[in-house]
């Protein structure tokens, strides 16, 4: 029943997040969460801010958090915008920079929230198919007319990245429109486009504390770009809800960003485990391209992805799968602890052996 629903949402197909199980305990490798706890300094910051965090409104401008991000990114504070997770920041950006008359260009296989935003905000999209190896067809993003471009770098769910040289070409090919580079996974082996901000006034880089800084539960994201773009983001935010990042989240994110040593330690551990796991998967027949994210995107050449996905679930291991042409047999596997990846590999080896023997 959709009585009283507006026309905007009546026919919407919302984004479907990865399963968050409540009925039993699983090894959760389906939502790209960091397997390691946040910096100990984050927990200290939460305790310090707890007394006033619930009673008082947060700073709507997130000044201290923006200062920490700006210092980390070697930018000015007025080049930083903060929001309630990178998903909200992306939603604000779609409203701030794109118009229905001009289609937004992004890959056909990428973060599925982009298509949801297009439909919800009554925009139009030009989906460009990835190459057969899931690499980005850069020339089409350079030369095809667009009202804006959105690129996840590295891409989700494929894990492949675009070079800064190719991003420069895309930026130069779209000088009158904003190019959004969504860097949710950039800290796991990809070069950030932040260094290009001073050169390109049409570049907006979006990042998050959810992945590499283990703060998915607090929802903190940010955009980096020309002051003109940041002003547009603030205009959208303040037309909806000025208080988007709560006090606890702001304090925790500041502590996480400032603890560079812990950040380096955990991200390097994840990258090392990722490379080891990829080689192990290949040893018993799975195919997967090198990843620059905190997940792997792999398939077995002779086994249906749905069958493998279900067999893993029955063994208490969750991964992500999409029932979409071209990738229906692929599984996106988040990188967990070494113990969790040992369990995954043992289960997959058993599943492959059982299914290929039939």
């Amino acid at each position: 029943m959709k009585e009283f629903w507006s026309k905007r949402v009546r026919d919407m197909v919302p984004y479907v997040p990865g399963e968050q199980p409540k009925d039993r305990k699983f090894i959760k490798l389906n939502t790209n969460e960091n397997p390691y706890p946040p910096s100990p300094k984050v927990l200290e910051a939460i305790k310090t801010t707890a007394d006033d965090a619930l009673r008082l409104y947060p700073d709507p401008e997130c000044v201290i958090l923006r200062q920490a991000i700006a210092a980390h990114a070697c930018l000015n504070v007025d080049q930083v915008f903060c929001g309630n997770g990178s998903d909200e920041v992306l939603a604000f950006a779609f409203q701030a920079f794109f118009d229905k008359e001009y289609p937004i260009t992004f890959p056909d296989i990428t973060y599925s929230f982009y298509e949801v935003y297009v439909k919800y905000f009554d925009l139009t999209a030009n989906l460009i198919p990835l190459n057969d190896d899931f690499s980005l067809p850069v020339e089409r993003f350079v030369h095809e007319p667009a009202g804006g471009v959105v690129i996840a770098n590295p891409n989700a769910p494929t894990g492949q990245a675009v070079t800064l040289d190719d991003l420069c070409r895309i930026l130069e090919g779209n000088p009158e429109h904003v190019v959004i580079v969504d860097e949710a996974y950039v800290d796991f082996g990809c070069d950030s486009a932040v260094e290009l901000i001073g050169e390109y006034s049409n570049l907006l880089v979006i990042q998050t504390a959810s992945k590499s800084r283990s703060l998915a539960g607090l929802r903190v994201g940010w955009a980096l770009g020309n002051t003109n773009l940041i002003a547009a983001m603030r205009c959208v935010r303040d037309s909806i809800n000025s208080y988007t990042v709560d006090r606890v989240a702001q304090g925790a994110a500041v502590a996480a960003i400032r603890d560079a040593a812990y950040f380096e330690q955990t991200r390097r551990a994840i990258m090392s485990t990722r490379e080891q796991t990829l080689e192990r998967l290949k040893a018993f027949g799975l195919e997967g391209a090198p990843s620059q994210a905190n997940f792997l995107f792999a398939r077995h050449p002779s086994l249906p992805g749905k069958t493998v996905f279900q067999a893993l679930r029955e063994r208490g291991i969750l991964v992500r799968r999409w029932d979409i042409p071209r990738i229906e047999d692929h599984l996106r596997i988040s990188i967990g602890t070494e113990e969790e990846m040992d369990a995954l590999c043992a289960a997959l080896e058993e599943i492959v052996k059982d299914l290929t023997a039939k």
Side-chain angles (χ1 to χ4, degrees):
M1 293 179 61
K2 296 184 178 181
E3 187 180 7
F4 308 123
W5 289 35
S6 71
K7 291 180 180 179
R8 176 187 294 274
V9 300
R10 192 173 298 150
D11 297 319
M12 277 294 302
V13 179
Y15 174 76
V16 179
E19 181 182 357
Q20 297 285 1
K22 299 178 178 63
D23 59 333
R24 57 178 283 200
K25 186 173 182 179
F26 286 88
I27 295 176
K28 254 182 110 275
L29 305 176
N30 65 327
T31 51
N32 297 341
E33 294 154 325
N34 196 309
Y36 301 107
S39 160
K41 294 180 180 180
V42 167
L43 303 181
E44 293 174 12
I46 290 174
K47 292 177 183 177
T48 301
T49 61
D51 289 345
D52 288 332
L54 303 183
R55 183 176 63 85
L56 301 176
Y57 281 112
D59 173 12
E61 296 297 334
C62 304
V63 172
I64 297 175
L65 175 55
R66 286 166 56 221
Q67 288 172 341
I69 295 168
H72 176 76
C74 298
L75 297 173
N76 296 322
V77 69
D78 58 359
Q79 292 178 291
V80 181
F81 173 89
C82 294
N84 184 29
S86 61
D87 286 337
E88 179 184 74
V89 176
L90 280 163
F92 286 168
F94 271 64
Q95 295 171 82
F97 306 118
F98 302 143
D99 294 305
K100 183 177 182 178
E101 295 79 10
Y102 307 100
I104 310 161
T105 298
F106 51 87
D108 65 332
I109 299 171
T110 191
Y111 186 31
S112 54
F113 228 140
Y114 302 156
E115 283 197 74
V116 175
Y117 290 143
V118 165
K119 293 175 182 176
Y120 184 75
F121 297 124
D122 196 25
L123 300 168
T124 55
N126 173 32
L127 304 185
I128 294 181
L130 293 177
N131 296 323
D132 290 343
D133 63 355
F134 298 136
S135 62
L136 192 78
V138 175
E139 292 300 321
R140 293 192 62 181
F141 283 82
V142 173
H143 297 296
E144 290 193 14
V149 175
V150 183
I151 295 173
N153 197 39
N155 192 29
T158 66
Q160 297 192 37
V162 181
T163 66
L164 292 186
D165 285 343
D166 283 338
L167 286 177
C168 287
R169 294 175 59 220
I170 293 170
L171 285 157
E172 290 164 6
N174 296 271
E176 297 181 358
H177 299 284
V178 171
V179 175
I180 295 175
V181 181
D182 180 0
E183 294 188 343
Y185 305 102
V186 72
D187 295 320
F188 300 105
C190 175
D191 291 328
S192 174
V194 169
E195 67 181 69
L196 304 176
I197 287 173
E199 188 175 351
Y200 297 98
S201 61
N202 61 329
L203 169 63
L204 189 78
V205 178
I206 295 178
Q207 298 181 346
T208 178
S210 294
K211 313 301 182 184
S212 57
R213 290 180 172 83
S214 306
L215 296 182
L218 282 184
R219 316 305 303 128
V220 179
W222 54 87
L224 308 166
N226 176 289
T227 56
N228 174 56
L229 301 186
I230 299 305
M233 298 286 289
R234 292 174 62 188
C235 180
V236 173
R237 179 200 65 196
D238 293 342
S239 300
I240 297 172
N241 174 19
S242 295
Y243 299 103
T244 59
V245 186
D246 68 66
R247 278 179 170 267
V248 173
Q250 288 187 41
V254 168
I257 291 164
R258 288 177 176 170
D259 193 350
Y262 186 84
F263 165 76
E264 284 293 332
Q265 175 188 332
T266 53
R267 81 182 187 98
R268 291 189 181 280
I270 290 168
M271 289 190 288
S272 176
T273 303
R274 177 190 67 201
E275 299 311 308
Q276 295 171 22
T277 302
L278 179 60
E279 293 307 308
R280 293 174 70 180
L281 296 183
K282 288 180 177 179
F284 43 86
L286 272 77
E287 301 173 343
S291 170
Q292 290 175 284
N294 66 336
F295 54 82
L296 294 168
F297 195 57
R299 72 182 183 101
H300 191 281
S302 62
L303 298 176
K306 188 174 183 178
T307 302
V308 179
F309 170 86
Q310 188 59 38
L312 281 171
R313 196 181 193 285
E314 290 169 358
R315 288 166 171 79
I317 301 173
L318 295 179
V319 297
R320 195 82 194 267
R321 175 186 171 271
W322 288 267
D323 199 15
I324 298 173
R326 298 180 69 194
I327 64 170
E328 65 267 23
D329 289 328
H330 283 75
L331 303 177
R332 193 197 68 190
I333 304 167
S334 302
I335 301 302
T337 63
E338 290 188 4
E339 293 76 15
E340 288 172 331
M341 303 319 284
D342 285 343
L344 168 83
C345 289
L348 278 172
E349 186 171 18
E350 179 183 279
I351 290 166
V352 169
K353 183 178 180 180
D354 290 347
L355 293 177
T356 54
K358 292 181 180 179

